[in-house]
Structures are given as C-alpha cells and as structure tokens.
Amino acid sequence: DHELVLSVLRDMYNSKKLWVSDDNEYIGLYEIYLLEKSLAKEILRLSKQKNWFNFSNWEKEVSLIEENQGWKYTEEQRQGIYTSLKDNFVMVVGKAGSGKTTVTNAMSTILSKNGYSIKQACLSGKASLRMQEVTGRESSTIHRLAEFNPKGGFARNKENPIKADVVIIDEVSMVD
C-alpha cells in the first residue's frame, strides 16, 4: 500500500531514523549518515596534517626494492607508492592482481626503513595471517589492534590512539 509506505517513511524521518538529502534524491538510515559524516570529517582532518616524510630519496628506495624483488613496478604502481608516501590518508584500490598489496608493501618498507612505526590489521584472523605472510610484518585483526573488549568497547580511540605512525587496514571495504 503506497500510503502505508509513505506513512512509515514519514514516521522514520520525523523520528530521525531516516535521512533524506536536501534535493530529495537520496535516503538512508540517519545513524549511518551521521557515521559517514563523522568519518569524512576525520579523513579531512588527517589529510590536512603536515606530512614529515622526506621525499628526496623515495625513487632510490623504490629502485632498491625492485632490485631485491627482481622485477620493476609499473608507472601506475610507482605513482601509487609516491601518493601513499606523500598523503596522510590513502585508499589503495584496484582489481584483484593489480598490485594493491605490492604498492602497500613498498610504501611500508620505505617508511619503516626511515624510522616510521607501522601497524597493519585486517577484519579476520585468516586475512591477517595472509597479510603477515605477504609483507613479512606483524599483523593483527582490527579488533585486536584497537584493543576491543566486549564489556568495555575499544580501548584505542581518539583519546587513546593506536601507537603507530602509520596504520594500514587491509580490505577495509569489508568492514561495516
């Protein structure tokens, strides 16, 4: 019933359970809207922070990694490595086999070689073990990294941040 659906939607909107864009083009759950808005604000905050990385030798570092691994990065991968070093917030995206892990691994190798501390995590324990195998660096689940306690929530938060210069979350699209 069309009227019933409109009535339920109006009730949800009036009770702040439903968000509607100003142009009435989009709707969503209000709680998710607030979460996404907060996340966007945090990403902008991180993006505007001063980056202290010294870029003068990044290409030399990439060449050394290529020499050690026995193959060269594509120009797109090199650009991805550079971007991941110069920006404070990066999402490495691409299809399976496009080199996302390779780019991330090069970035973290260069940063750790330059004294930056790195923490990496995944949604599942199995994915975390795989990430550890691929990168040769310790990895954990996101819940363990953020010190989750079922009774008290996450111990790591804005007031008590994760102790690392760089935090890598793999397969973040799978995280709700």
Side-chain angles (χ1 to χ4, degrees), residues 118-176:
I118 297 169
K119 299 280 185 180
Q120 53 187 23
C122 302
L123 187 57
S124 74
K126 190 172 186 175
S128 175
L129 287 172
R130 180 67 185 133
M131 186 178 207
Q132 196 166 316
E133 285 173 8
V134 171
T135 65
R137 286 180 195 79
E138 185 180 328
S139 184
S140 70
T141 62
I142 297 167
H143 286 75
R144 181 167 289 163
L145 180 63
E147 299 176 21
F148 180 73
N149 177 336
K151 293 180 181 167
F154 292 100
R156 296 293 175 177
N157 53 39
K158 212 175 212 177
E159 291 76 36
N160 185 26
I162 295 167
K163 292 184 184 343
D165 298 313
V166 177
V167 177
I168 298 169
I169 307 295
D170 194 31
E171 298 290 351
V172 76
S173 65
M174 296 172 68
V175 180
D176 63 7

Side-chain angles (χ1 to χ4, degrees), residues 8-10 12-20 27-31:
V8 169
L9 289 174
R10 262 190 230 100
M12 288 179 71
Y13 178 77
N14 291 334
S15 64
K16 293 276 190 189
K17 291 183 178 155
L18 188 70
W19 169 83
V20 180
I27 66 169
L29 295 175
Y30 192 73
E31 183 180 344

